[in-house]
Amino acid sequence: MIIVRINTLKRRMNQIMKIAVVMGSKSDLPKLESGIELMRNFGVEVAVRVLSAHRTPVELSKFLDEIKNDTDVIVAAAGKAAHLPGVIAAQTLIPVVGLPIKSSTMDGLDSLLSMVQMPSGIPVATVTIDSGTNAALMALQIASIKYPVLRDRLSDYRDEMAKKVLLDDASVQ
């Protein structure tokens, strides 16, 4: 019912809310799936791509050019040196949410540091290692500036989380 309500409001607004999700490797997808599902449940169109900053830089640039006029936020997931979010941020003015992915070498710390240590002038908003849900929520919050329906849904989402905690609290008392 909530999805129907959001789709109805979206049609009334005559605007399509769109978020792009880009990962450097298909092996990152399991970390993104919960966030992709969450964004779609919020009524957002989600474009999902596997594009590497190092192995497919031309295709990445072409994709960024294709989405520049109709995408509100980009979630970029990468592991190890994790240059993908920074490379994307350097090529677009669309806000970028970086999702560090745990790798085998430093448990994701290398990815996290690569994203949060961006040079001045090219910011990447970065979330917790392996947290596709937090990346999605950050992207939705950014998009909610333009789409008030998202703000309302985010408020409902937080209310639902609080109710669950209170039910858990009551069950242990």
Side-chain angles (χ1 to χ4, degrees):
M1 181 156 149
I2 291 172
I3 293 171
V4 172
R5 189 176 88 211
I6 290 172
N7 286 336
T8 302
L9 289 170
K10 189 167 72 169
R11 278 193 298 276
R12 271 192 232 146
M13 291 170 37
N14 226 5
Q15 295 177 318
I16 296 176
M17 301 170 281
K18 187 172 179 184
I19 296 174
V21 174
V22 183
M23 63 199 89
S25 170
K26 188 177 178 184
S27 63
D28 299 335
L29 184 58
K31 305 298 182 189
L32 289 156
E33 288 174 328
S34 64
I36 292 167
E37 180 181 347
L38 179 67
M39 290 184 286
R40 287 182 174 152
N41 287 341
F42 271 57
V44 173
E45 182 181 322
V46 183
V48 180
R49 297 293 304 269
V50 177
L51 294 167
S52 168
H54 303 109
R55 295 180 299 267
T56 59
V58 172
E59 292 82 355
L60 176 62
S61 293
K62 285 180 186 176
F63 174 67
L64 295 174
D65 191 52
E66 289 168 10
I67 67 168
K68 68 183 175 190
N69 295 319
D70 68 354
T71 300
D72 299 293
V73 184
I74 299 169
V75 173
K80 298 190 179 182
H83 294 121
L84 183 62
V87 168
I88 290 172
Q91 294 185 59
T92 185
L93 294 176
I94 299 169
V96 177
V97 177
L99 172 58
I101 302 294
K102 186 183 287 190
S103 62
S104 58
T105 50
M106 296 179 68
D107 284 337
L109 183 59
D110 49 344
S111 306
L112 175 67
L113 293 175
S114 292
M115 291 180 200
V116 299
Q117 295 296 333
M118 289 298 298
S120 179
I122 309 294
V124 171
T126 305
V127 298
T128 313
I129 296 167
D130 286 350
S131 182
T133 300
N134 273 355
L137 288 167
M138 178 59 68
L140 289 166
Q141 285 181 226
I142 292 167
S144 77
I145 295 167
K146 182 176 178 183
Y147 305 103
V149 67
L150 289 179
R151 194 172 320 117
D152 295 341
R153 181 62 185 117
L154 284 163
S155 180
D156 293 344
Y157 181 85
R158 287 193 179 185
D159 288 345
E160 290 171 22
M161 286 192 311
K163 287 176 188 174
K164 184 184 180 320
V165 171
L166 293 173
L167 285 172
D168 290 346
D169 178 50
S171 73
V172 298
Q173 290 182 21

